Amino acid sequence: RKMSTPKSVTYSSTRGCSTQKHISFRDVVMRGLAHDRGLFVPDSFPTVTLDEIESWRFLSYSDLAVEVISKYVMEDQIPKETLRDIVSRSCAAFRSDEVTPLVEIDGHWVLELFHGPTFAFKDVALQMLGNFFEYFLQTGSNDGHLTILGATSGDTGSAAIYGLRGKKGVDCVILFPHGRVSAIQERQMTTVPDSNIHCVAVDGTFDDCQDIVKASFGDAEFRERVKLGAVNSINWCRVLAQTTYYFWSYLRVTDKYPNEVKASNGVNFSVPTGNFGDILAGYYAKKMGLPVGKLIVATNENDILHRFFSKGEYHRYDINKSISPSMDICVSSNFERYLYHLAGDDPTTLSSWMKAFESTGQLTITGKKLEIAQADFLSARADTSMTLSTIKEYHEKHDYMLCPHSAVGVSAIQQLKEINHSTVCLATAHEAKFPDACSMAVKPLPTPPVELSSLKDMKTRSSRCPNDAKVVQAFVEARIKERVDAEEGGVVSDGTEDGGASSMKKLVTMAIVIGAIAVAAQVLMKRR
């Protein structure tokens, strides 16, 4: 009798709409956000045994990642050899053979997630996501076209751009808050010349940018017209890809300290947290059966998550501009996935919670539910002075530089007295991306990598938009039309801007587009 082929995990929206249930991996990746404004979560979690994890001990990072991802994504979605090729090409973009090496410092571990093209942890997932998009477009999805609309507080934008630049059929529009990302982060985005990349400085905060993205996904006509997709951590593929380095870390820590890890009931992870996607990947790895001990949510002054895990108060406050801008978030978009599980995987309860939060800016959890949350996660808050103190201490005592986000994670384990051989701090970015912040603690700064120091001499290209979803949507459609017209006319960008005529054509086009946006903005203002 013929054996039936194992089926891939399917996904349903946290908000429970009947048309957004049991969706395939392909469609979830292409869709990004569910059409009922919920987030996709797995209908079931595959399990791994300790024996199986042990059998992965001597695999390369790439081969380990294939084993973890193929627990969710089977042959009915992507042939295993194709999956191996996608993951292998993604990992080849990293400067380290180990992809995410671990180093031991001061009696604990640091997981270095900054060896990818843009020197930030998001490269791990976004290199993979770009290659998944490419494969799905080549094999029938969306009639071969996808428009990515993403919001960035600093690192997602450049990582998305480097994952999607030059990809056939993909237009990538990245919104960032004007004046609220570091100069290097902005240059990493705006120096990429490929014609399918469009960077937009929005007059507002990161949360405003994120609201524009969510509003655009909620606009069914616009969403279908431009074939909208997401690169933010609302996209399930981002979270899935990030689970891989939790498995890698467990194996590397237990290479050296198997007995200590056993005694502490698993490996502890301290994660600098903004949008909650990175630590959620650790939570899901634990759900799969990885021996994870404590999961520590480390926040800066924008501490909505620390307040939740301390007191059950998920209350929205205004953003404090800090030295760790990628964590300057007052609403964590991925947190809805965890709240769904806290609600007992009940979309009705979750929807009522989110509706109340969206109307009042407050959600309060008490009693048994709060106890469950506090058992799932510990939390700590590090303000600017604590963060700078940690950067200074690690440089002076250990000759090791932490970025202002990674230092928040290290400060958290100091505060919670979790410095031990079983604890891993996630280092989410290279310190050279944040020279202004780091120079407040360390002078002179170490020499930055040439890939970052050379950015200051490169041409930049970006646009400016008001904080208005309709204006941004008009901009998106204008840029797609401009690129398609240019390609149909035989003017295809080769990723360079060395011709005077080419540069002039782009400048003229930019002026036309910005003029159109200005007119649209004036019309909208008059209507109001």
Tab-separated table of all heavy atoms in Angstrom, residues 151-186:
chain	number	residue	atom	x	y	z
A	151	ALA	N	7.699	48.499	7.244
A	151	ALA	CA	8.055	49.614	8.127
A	151	ALA	C	9.309	49.220	8.884
A	151	ALA	O	9.468	48.056	9.253
A	151	ALA	CB	6.913	49.889	9.108
A	152	THR	N	10.197	50.168	9.114
A	152	THR	CA	11.421	49.840	9.834
A	152	THR	C	11.732	50.863	10.915
A	152	THR	O	11.531	52.059	10.722
A	152	THR	CB	12.623	49.720	8.877
A	152	THR	OG1	13.751	49.228	9.589
A	152	THR	CG2	12.980	51.049	8.214
A	153	SER	N	12.212	50.345	12.050
A	153	SER	CA	12.729	51.231	13.096
A	153	SER	C	14.249	51.307	12.980
A	153	SER	O	14.915	51.861	13.839
A	153	SER	CB	12.310	50.705	14.482
A	153	SER	OG	12.723	49.362	14.639
A	154	GLY	N	14.786	50.715	11.926
A	154	GLY	CA	16.227	50.799	11.704
A	154	GLY	C	16.798	49.650	10.919
A	154	GLY	O	17.316	49.835	9.811
A	155	ASP	N	16.682	48.423	11.435
A	155	ASP	CA	17.389	47.298	10.833
A	155	ASP	C	16.570	46.488	9.835
A	155	ASP	O	17.121	45.959	8.875
A	155	ASP	CB	17.903	46.353	11.928
A	155	ASP	CG	19.089	46.942	12.692
A	155	ASP	OD1	19.843	47.729	12.094
A	155	ASP	OD2	19.239	46.620	13.878
A	156	THR	N	15.258	46.384	10.033
A	156	THR	CA	14.449	45.580	9.111
A	156	THR	C	14.568	46.110	7.693
A	156	THR	O	14.674	45.340	6.744
A	156	THR	CB	12.963	45.585	9.534
A	156	THR	OG1	12.841	44.946	10.794
A	156	THR	CG2	12.095	44.855	8.530
A	157	GLY	N	14.546	47.435	7.552
A	157	GLY	CA	14.554	48.040	6.217
A	157	GLY	C	15.737	47.616	5.381
A	157	GLY	O	15.591	47.101	4.269
A	158	SER	N	16.944	47.798	5.917
A	158	SER	CA	18.124	47.466	5.123
A	158	SER	C	18.227	45.959	4.918
A	158	SER	O	18.602	45.490	3.834
A	158	SER	CB	19.398	48.012	5.777
A	158	SER	OG	19.553	47.530	7.088
A	159	ALA	N	17.869	45.160	5.931
A	159	ALA	CA	17.925	43.704	5.772
A	159	ALA	C	16.935	43.233	4.705
A	159	ALA	O	17.248	42.345	3.904
A	159	ALA	CB	17.649	43.011	7.105
A	160	ALA	N	15.745	43.836	4.669
A	160	ALA	CA	14.757	43.503	3.639
A	160	ALA	C	15.272	43.903	2.262
A	160	ALA	O	15.158	43.146	1.290
A	160	ALA	CB	13.437	44.210	3.937
A	161	ILE	N	15.839	45.094	2.193
A	161	ILE	CA	16.348	45.596	0.918
A	161	ILE	C	17.448	44.687	0.375
A	161	ILE	O	17.461	44.327	-0.811
A	161	ILE	CB	16.832	47.051	1.093
A	161	ILE	CG1	15.616	47.988	1.191
A	161	ILE	CG2	17.769	47.471	-0.039
A	161	ILE	CD1	15.934	49.373	1.716
A	162	TYR	N	18.371	44.272	1.240
A	162	TYR	CA	19.453	43.402	0.784
A	162	TYR	C	18.947	41.998	0.456
A	162	TYR	O	19.562	41.288	-0.340
A	162	TYR	CB	20.574	43.341	1.825
A	162	TYR	CG	21.548	44.494	1.701
A	162	TYR	CD1	21.186	45.782	2.092
A	162	TYR	CD2	22.821	44.307	1.183
A	162	TYR	CE1	22.057	46.848	1.978
A	162	TYR	CE2	23.712	45.366	1.060
A	162	TYR	CZ	23.328	46.646	1.460
A	162	TYR	OH	24.195	47.695	1.331
A	163	GLY	N	17.833	41.599	1.057
A	163	GLY	CA	17.251	40.298	0.734
A	163	GLY	C	16.432	40.319	-0.548
A	163	GLY	O	16.206	39.278	-1.165
A	164	LEU	N	15.969	41.517	-0.971
A	164	LEU	CA	15.032	41.620	-2.098
A	164	LEU	C	15.580	42.390	-3.296
A	164	LEU	O	14.945	42.401	-4.353
A	164	LEU	CB	13.734	42.292	-1.625
A	164	LEU	CG	12.951	41.525	-0.554
A	164	LEU	CD1	11.801	42.373	-0.023
A	164	LEU	CD2	12.423	40.216	-1.100
A	165	ARG	N	16.732	43.037	-3.151
A	165	ARG	CA	17.260	43.852	-4.250
A	165	ARG	C	17.458	42.991	-5.497
A	165	ARG	O	17.974	41.876	-5.447
A	165	ARG	CB	18.582	44.517	-3.847
A	165	ARG	CG	19.679	43.557	-3.486
A	165	ARG	CD	20.931	44.256	-2.973
A	165	ARG	NE	21.488	45.187	-3.950
A	165	ARG	CZ	22.611	45.876	-3.780
A	165	ARG	NH1	23.305	45.747	-2.643
A	165	ARG	NH2	23.047	46.683	-4.708
A	166	GLY	N	16.973	43.524	-6.627
A	166	GLY	CA	17.160	42.835	-7.897
A	166	GLY	C	16.295	41.607	-8.109
A	166	GLY	O	16.408	40.948	-9.146
A	167	LYS	N	15.422	41.269	-7.146
A	167	LYS	CA	14.581	40.074	-7.299
A	167	LYS	C	13.495	40.345	-8.343
A	167	LYS	O	12.755	41.339	-8.248
A	167	LYS	CB	13.906	39.693	-5.974
A	167	LYS	CG	14.870	39.283	-4.860
A	167	LYS	CD	15.364	37.873	-5.008
A	167	LYS	CE	16.157	37.446	-3.785
A	167	LYS	NZ	17.063	36.326	-4.050
A	168	LYS	N	13.401	39.473	-9.325
A	168	LYS	CA	12.443	39.643	-10.421
A	168	LYS	C	11.015	39.588	-9.886
A	168	LYS	O	10.655	38.705	-9.114
A	168	LYS	CB	12.669	38.521	-11.444
A	168	LYS	CG	11.908	38.700	-12.752
A	168	LYS	CD	12.335	37.628	-13.742
A	168	LYS	CE	11.690	37.698	-15.097
A	168	LYS	NZ	10.524	38.448	-15.304
A	169	GLY	N	10.207	40.549	-10.315
A	169	GLY	CA	8.795	40.566	-9.949
A	169	GLY	C	8.489	41.190	-8.602
A	169	GLY	O	7.331	41.259	-8.200
A	170	VAL	N	9.528	41.648	-7.867
A	170	VAL	CA	9.317	42.194	-6.521
A	170	VAL	C	9.596	43.697	-6.499
A	170	VAL	O	10.667	44.137	-6.933
A	170	VAL	CB	10.228	41.509	-5.480
A	170	VAL	CG1	10.007	42.107	-4.085
A	170	VAL	CG2	9.992	40.005	-5.443
A	171	ASP	N	8.635	44.486	-6.025
A	171	ASP	CA	8.890	45.894	-5.687
A	171	ASP	C	8.935	45.983	-4.169
A	171	ASP	O	8.053	45.456	-3.487
A	171	ASP	CB	7.784	46.809	-6.213
A	171	ASP	CG	8.036	47.218	-7.653
A	171	ASP	OD1	8.932	48.050	-7.872
A	171	ASP	OD2	7.349	46.678	-8.542
A	172	CYS	N	9.945	46.643	-3.636
A	172	CYS	CA	10.134	46.726	-2.187
A	172	CYS	C	10.091	48.189	-1.760
A	172	CYS	O	10.966	48.981	-2.145
A	172	CYS	CB	11.477	46.089	-1.815
A	172	CYS	SG	11.898	46.249	-0.079
A	173	VAL	N	9.059	48.552	-1.000
A	173	VAL	CA	8.899	49.921	-0.498
A	173	VAL	C	9.071	49.881	1.021
A	173	VAL	O	8.313	49.199	1.719
A	173	VAL	CB	7.515	50.498	-0.864
A	173	VAL	CG1	7.392	51.930	-0.349
A	173	VAL	CG2	7.288	50.446	-2.369
A	174	ILE	N	10.068	50.596	1.527
A	174	ILE	CA	10.355	50.593	2.959
A	174	ILE	C	10.094	51.982	3.545
A	174	ILE	O	10.651	52.983	3.082
A	174	ILE	CB	11.814	50.178	3.228
A	174	ILE	CG1	12.059	48.745	2.735
A	174	ILE	CG2	12.152	50.310	4.708
A	174	ILE	CD1	11.285	47.663	3.471
A	175	LEU	N	9.244	52.027	4.572
A	175	LEU	CA	8.936	53.273	5.278
A	175	LEU	C	9.789	53.345	6.542
A	175	LEU	O	9.862	52.381	7.292
A	175	LEU	CB	7.457	53.308	5.685
A	175	LEU	CG	6.409	52.935	4.630
A	175	LEU	CD1	5.004	53.043	5.248
A	175	LEU	CD2	6.516	53.830	3.403
A	176	PHE	N	10.424	54.492	6.763
A	176	PHE	CA	11.153	54.679	8.017
A	176	PHE	C	10.837	56.060	8.584
A	176	PHE	O	10.521	56.993	7.834
A	176	PHE	CB	12.670	54.484	7.819
A	176	PHE	CG	13.342	55.473	6.901
A	176	PHE	CD1	13.925	56.631	7.398
A	176	PHE	CD2	13.416	55.235	5.535
A	176	PHE	CE1	14.561	57.540	6.567
A	176	PHE	CE2	14.055	56.134	4.686
A	176	PHE	CZ	14.632	57.295	5.200
A	177	PRO	N	10.870	56.201	9.926
A	177	PRO	CA	10.526	57.495	10.529
A	177	PRO	C	11.635	58.513	10.297
A	177	PRO	O	12.786	58.277	10.670
A	177	PRO	CB	10.363	57.164	12.017
A	177	PRO	CG	11.175	55.926	12.237
A	177	PRO	CD	11.187	55.174	10.939
A	178	HIS	N	11.298	59.625	9.649
A	178	HIS	CA	12.286	60.646	9.307
A	178	HIS	C	13.028	61.133	10.557
A	178	HIS	O	12.413	61.531	11.551
A	178	HIS	CB	11.590	61.828	8.621
A	178	HIS	CG	12.527	62.938	8.257
A	178	HIS	ND1	13.500	62.806	7.292
A	178	HIS	CD2	12.662	64.197	8.749
A	178	HIS	CE1	14.184	63.934	7.203
A	178	HIS	NE2	13.690	64.792	8.074
A	179	GLY	N	14.363	61.060	10.514
A	179	GLY	CA	15.185	61.563	11.612
A	179	GLY	C	15.230	60.659	12.832
A	179	GLY	O	15.780	61.046	13.859
A	180	ARG	N	14.679	59.437	12.734
A	180	ARG	CA	14.608	58.567	13.916
A	180	ARG	C	15.306	57.223	13.704
A	180	ARG	O	15.080	56.275	14.452
A	180	ARG	CB	13.141	58.332	14.320
A	180	ARG	CG	12.499	59.556	14.963
A	180	ARG	CD	11.008	59.299	15.205
A	180	ARG	NE	10.359	60.430	15.871
A	180	ARG	CZ	10.086	60.490	17.153
A	180	ARG	NH1	10.422	59.490	17.947
A	180	ARG	NH2	9.465	61.530	17.668
A	181	VAL	N	16.109	57.107	12.668
A	181	VAL	CA	16.995	55.937	12.531
A	181	VAL	C	18.425	56.474	12.489
A	181	VAL	O	18.640	57.653	12.194
A	181	VAL	CB	16.686	55.113	11.251
A	181	VAL	CG1	15.274	54.567	11.287
A	181	VAL	CG2	16.910	55.931	9.989
A	182	SER	N	19.400	55.621	12.820
A	182	SER	CA	20.777	56.122	12.828
A	182	SER	C	21.217	56.444	11.406
A	182	SER	O	20.678	55.912	10.426
A	182	SER	CB	21.729	55.097	13.467
A	182	SER	OG	22.135	54.117	12.542
A	183	ALA	N	22.204	57.338	11.269
A	183	ALA	CA	22.677	57.778	9.947
A	183	ALA	C	23.151	56.589	9.119
A	183	ALA	O	22.891	56.501	7.917
A	183	ALA	CB	23.798	58.800	10.114
A	184	ILE	N	23.841	55.647	9.761
A	184	ILE	CA	24.333	54.477	9.027
A	184	ILE	C	23.169	53.597	8.593
A	184	ILE	O	23.132	53.103	7.462
A	184	ILE	CB	25.349	53.687	9.887
A	184	ILE	CG1	26.665	54.464	9.968
A	184	ILE	CG2	25.592	52.289	9.320
A	184	ILE	CD1	27.708	53.833	10.864
A	185	GLN	N	22.189	53.412	9.479
A	185	GLN	CA	21.020	52.609	9.099
A	185	GLN	C	20.319	53.224	7.881
A	185	GLN	O	19.931	52.516	6.956
A	185	GLN	CB	20.036	52.517	10.268
A	185	GLN	CG	20.496	51.591	11.391
A	185	GLN	CD	19.532	51.602	12.559
A	185	GLN	OE1	19.061	52.656	12.983
A	185	GLN	NE2	19.221	50.436	13.089
A	186	GLU	N	20.174	54.551	7.882
A	186	GLU	CA	19.525	55.212	6.752
A	186	GLU	C	20.344	55.031	5.480
A	186	GLU	O	19.805	54.724	4.404
A	186	GLU	CB	19.312	56.706	7.054
A	186	GLU	CG	18.564	57.419	5.945
A	186	GLU	CD	18.061	58.800	6.339
A	186	GLU	OE1	17.944	59.076	7.554
A	186	GLU	OE2	17.793	59.588	5.424
